[in-house]
Amino acid sequence: MYLKSIEMQGFKSFADKTQVVFDKGVTAVVGPNGSGKSNITESLRWALGESSAKSLRGGKMPDVIFAGTEVRKALNYAEVAVTLDNSDGFIAGAGETIRVERHIYRNGDNDYLIDGEYRIDGKKVRLRDIHDLFMDTGLGRDSFSIISQGRVEAIFNAKPEERRAIFEEAAGVLKYKTRKKETESKLNQTPMSS
Ligand code: ATP
């Protein structure tokens, strides 16, 4: 499986629709400071379900929407679509390509409540479905596939339990632990009959 493309519109500094296409092998993005290189990796993390606005260098989620410049008005909407090539069947049960989208609208006073809408191959889904799709693939929210500036240091300084979660994702056991926890919590909520 590999990343084929990212399309951004209204996301951070990418006010206009912008597509970045990746080939197999290494792709380097170069540009002056502040030109938007990190915004590209953040768009990928955001589309794959990043739920911490802080880790996207914002205060609340709608801060990812283009905030305007001296010469251009702010926008009220952002979307990112990520296309993955799955022709090797790496994600079992998914098609040859997988398209994951996230959309977000500003909503004034309620901005802090907004997380956005997700789609997989055009179909509206919950964030949970995105997590399920990528859990243990190495592309999950907390995986090592995307290492942003400062992350290496953060991993070294992480508590042992936090580091354990990273190893568990890499080893592919996180999915089963999460399901076990969910099942236990459902069992605990089930009334016992005598
Ligand atoms: P460096 O090489 O210094 O790490 P970079 O190329 O990675 O820089 P980014 O950090 O991706 O650059 O981009 C920062 C730019 O994105 C800044 O100019 C900032 O004003 C702009 N930016 C961030 N969020 C928004 C937003 N919501 N609306 C408009 N512009 C934004």
Side-chain angles (χ1 to χ4, degrees):
M1 185 176 70
Y2 69 92
L3 175 62
K4 272 181 90 165
S5 71
I6 305 177
E7 288 157 52
M8 299 162 278
Q9 185 163 17
F11 184 87
K12 294 209 163 193
S13 48
F14 296 95
D16 293 320
K17 191 165 188 168
T18 308
Q19 187 184 34
V20 185
V21 177
F22 301 91
D23 277 327
K24 280 188 176 168
V26 176
T27 301
V29 179
V30 290
N33 289 352
S35 60
K37 302 181 296 290
S38 305
N39 292 344
I40 299 175
T41 49
E42 282 173 357
S43 77
L44 176 60
R45 277 179 32 227
W46 183 70
L48 299 185
E50 176 59 71
S51 52
S52 157
K54 207 171 130 225
S55 86
L56 297 166
R57 299 179 291 171
K60 52 190 184 327
M61 210 34 109
D63 291 343
V64 300
I65 302 171
F66 177 71
T69 61
E70 277 175 19
V71 292
R72 188 153 181 180
K73 265 174 58 182
L75 297 173
N76 287 322
Y77 169 70
E79 72 173 85
V80 174
V82 170
T83 306
L84 300 158
D85 183 302
N86 187 45
S87 52
D88 59 0
F90 185 75
I91 298 189
E96 293 244 316
T97 57
I98 304 171
R99 184 179 166 95
V100 178
E101 292 167 47
R102 186 169 177 183
H103 303 244
I104 191 168
Y105 300 84
R106 257 188 237 288
N107 194 14
D109 292 346
N110 292 327
D111 261 4
Y112 63 96
L113 292 171
I114 301 171
D115 185 54
E117 258 173 41
Y118 298 88
R119 285 182 208 159
I120 297 176
D121 295 333
K123 193 169 152 258
K124 265 194 193 178
V125 293
R126 301 158 304 170
L127 171 58
R128 203 212 137 116
D129 300 311
I130 307 270
H131 287 169
D132 280 356
L133 184 67
F134 292 115
M135 200 183 280
D136 289 342
T137 60
L139 245 191
R141 211 174 19 152
D142 301 320
S143 76
F144 269 118
S145 314
I146 305 165
I147 301 188
S148 314
Q149 282 173 47
R151 178 91 201 278
V152 175
E153 200 187 332
I155 292 164
F156 279 119
N157 293 331
K159 292 191 202 119
E161 314 85 77
E162 291 163 351
R163 227 175 284 150
R164 179 184 173 135
I166 294 166
F167 286 121
E168 283 177 347
E169 157 119 21
V173 293
L174 192 63
K175 178 159 51 192
Y176 302 105
K177 279 191 83 166
T178 311
R179 290 205 180 138
K180 182 175 169 225
K181 225 166 137 188
E182 281 169 7
T183 309
E184 280 171 355
S185 123
K186 273 189 199 151
L187 271 176
N188 288 337
Q189 284 164 22
T190 308
M192 302 286 257
S193 60
S194 53

